Amino acid sequence: MSLTRFPLAVGFALASLLTTVPAPAHAAVPGPDLNCPATSAVLTFTPPLSAVPQNVTIAISAGTAGLCLDTSSATTKIVSGTFTGTLNATALSCLNPTAQTTGTARFSWNLAPSGTAATTVTGLSVAANVNGETLMTGQATAGDRLVGDTFTFVGDVSNSSLSDLCLLTLLGGPPVTTATMRGVSSFTRL
């Protein structure tokens, strides 16, 4: 075999190998995948929220996510959904509304033109009174859609006004058993 032919043969072998190696999958583009400005739910505190710090389970029920704008690349788009969840708070009280929390939420989505999907959010935590609003965050870890996205809720938690009810509790009134959250939820790819 001639030395002048060897580099050419190696070149053809490399070219053949490169054409058979699959191209790497493209990563999802960072940014919002879903924004639902009409999000609401009922929060139930067990035991009721009082002036005394205690471990509290917060049940999230009757959750709705509406007027959703789905900017993901999915063929079917999320138009609305429902959700439930549970938060466990450590040393939560009317005097410590930013107690450490962790929890899970489950979303059931309505798709257009048709169909359904689901998303489970874990690591759900709450930071109260961020610029006058409640911030809730978590990570979408399971389901048909949005897995890997960061979930965020920004809005008001009230029942008349949670701070007014807590003030009444601190003045000797009954503990707070329920509240309503209303605001904007989103799922964002980072």
Side-chain angles (χ1 to χ4, degrees):
M1 183 164 152
S2 155
L3 288 177
T4 57
R5 287 183 166 164
F6 182 73
L8 188 57
V10 170
F12 282 128
L14 285 174
S16 173
L17 180 63
L18 290 175
T19 59
T20 59
V21 174
H26 294 286
V29 177
D33 279 336
L34 183 66
N35 189 32
C36 301
T39 300
S40 65
V42 174
L43 307 177
T44 303
F45 303 97
T46 307
L49 197 56
S50 69
V52 178
Q54 55 191 339
N55 294 342
V56 177
T57 299
I58 305 166
I60 303 170
S61 61
T64 60
L67 305 176
C68 298
L69 174 61
D70 185 344
T71 59
S72 70
S73 60
T75 306
T76 55
K77 300 297 183 184
I78 294 172
V79 292
S80 65
T82 59
F83 64 97
T84 60
T86 303
L87 288 163
N88 295 304
T90 303
L92 182 66
S93 73
C94 282
L95 296 173
N96 184 23
T98 59
Q100 182 179 356
T101 57
T102 185
T104 303
R106 289 175 183 78
F107 290 79
S108 298
W109 300 112
N110 300 310
L111 306 178
S114 66
T116 59
T119 302
T120 299
V121 173
T122 58
L124 199 58
S125 63
V126 176
N129 201 19
V130 175
N131 295 324
E133 296 186 307
T134 298
L135 171 67
M136 186 183 308
T137 60
Q139 190 71 31
T141 56
D144 300 335
R145 305 275 299 259
L146 308 170
V147 171
D149 281 13
T150 297
F151 167 76
T152 305
F153 167 83
V154 178
D156 296 321
V157 175
S158 64
N159 185 5
S160 301
S161 168
L162 185 59
S163 59
D164 290 346
L165 290 173
C166 270
L167 180 59
L168 290 174
T169 297
L170 296 173
L171 294 173
V176 180
T177 57
T178 62
T180 303
M181 61 182 245
R182 289 187 182 89
V184 177
S185 62
S186 62
F187 287 82
T188 304
R189 177 101 25 207
L190 301 178

